[in-house]
Amino acid sequence: MEQRARLYKSLATAICKPLTDAKSHLTQINRINDATFMEVAQAKHYALFLDTIVPALCKLLDVITKPKLTDKVVGELRSRTLEIFVRLPNKDAKKKHLSAVMQTMKHVLDCDSERNVLLALKVIRTLFSSFSDELTSSASFVFKFIEHVFRS
């Protein structure tokens, strides 16, 4: 267990470094997105994985990277990060991260590329399907966003 905690912490630390080389960040995200790391979601270490990695992923999307439609590597980095959120199973351990994840998804909806907005909507849909009671306060934002899209 301690070895896994060190591994997750080292990944989170690497993800949270300032973005000087987007390719190195993309390598770390691809390690997390790799099937080997995603197996942890089925294991007893899932809560530890979430507690360590989710804050780092949110920080990566909210602070470290900015949506740049011209920078393909940063766009891919953001997309791969969102794909991790899509793939994470909605188990009880995920409940304590709902607020942070929803804030990050709102940020993506506000300012990102069409591909990433679609991935964020997919994350939101899966979260609402499993945690609708916990997310009632976020529902109005989602409905307003959908209304805005249809009116545009």
Side-chain angles (χ1 to χ4, degrees):
M1 178 93 140
E2 200 171 299
Q3 182 181 2
R4 287 195 184 266
R6 282 194 304 272
L7 175 63
Y8 301 154
K9 185 158 179 66
S10 71
L11 281 170
T13 302
I15 292 168
C16 290
K17 287 183 180 175
L19 189 69
T20 54
D21 177 22
K23 288 183 182 181
S24 66
H25 277 70
L26 185 57
T27 300
Q28 298 303 322
I29 291 299
N30 286 336
R31 284 183 67 201
I32 295 170
N33 216 347
D34 184 27
T36 306
F37 278 94
M38 296 310 288
E39 285 175 9
V40 78
Q42 306 304 324
K44 60 184 176 185
H45 305 105
Y46 186 53
L48 175 65
F49 178 78
L50 291 177
D51 291 346
T52 311
I53 298 297
V54 167
L57 297 177
C58 289
K59 184 175 181 179
L60 180 68
L61 290 171
D62 290 338
V63 178
I64 297 170
T65 62
K66 302 293 181 213
K68 296 177 184 170
L69 303 179
T70 57
D71 189 334
K72 290 184 179 182
V73 178
V74 171
E76 181 67 17
L77 174 61
R78 292 178 67 80
S79 295
R80 297 290 288 166
T81 303
L82 287 162
E83 288 169 4
I84 292 171
F85 282 113
V86 170
R87 292 178 62 200
L88 289 173
N90 291 334
K91 296 182 179 182
D92 281 339
K94 202 172 182 181
K95 280 184 183 180
K96 75 182 199 179
H97 301 286
L98 290 176
S99 178
V101 172
M102 284 301 293
Q103 280 301 117
T104 298
M105 294 309 118
K106 288 177 185 180
H107 174 71
V108 171
L109 293 179
D110 283 340
C111 64
D112 222 314
S113 68
E114 183 178 337
R115 176 183 180 200
N116 291 346
V117 166
L118 291 173
L119 286 168
L121 285 171
K122 195 172 187 178
V123 172
I124 291 168
R125 181 186 55 83
T126 60
L127 290 176
F128 268 100
S129 68
S130 298
F131 305 111
S132 58
D133 292 340
E134 291 85 351
L135 293 172
T136 53
S137 63
S138 298
S140 64
F141 173 83
V142 174
F143 292 134
K144 285 178 185 174
F145 176 80
I146 293 169
E147 179 184 27
H148 170 72
V149 168
F150 280 109
R151 290 184 189 238
S152 298

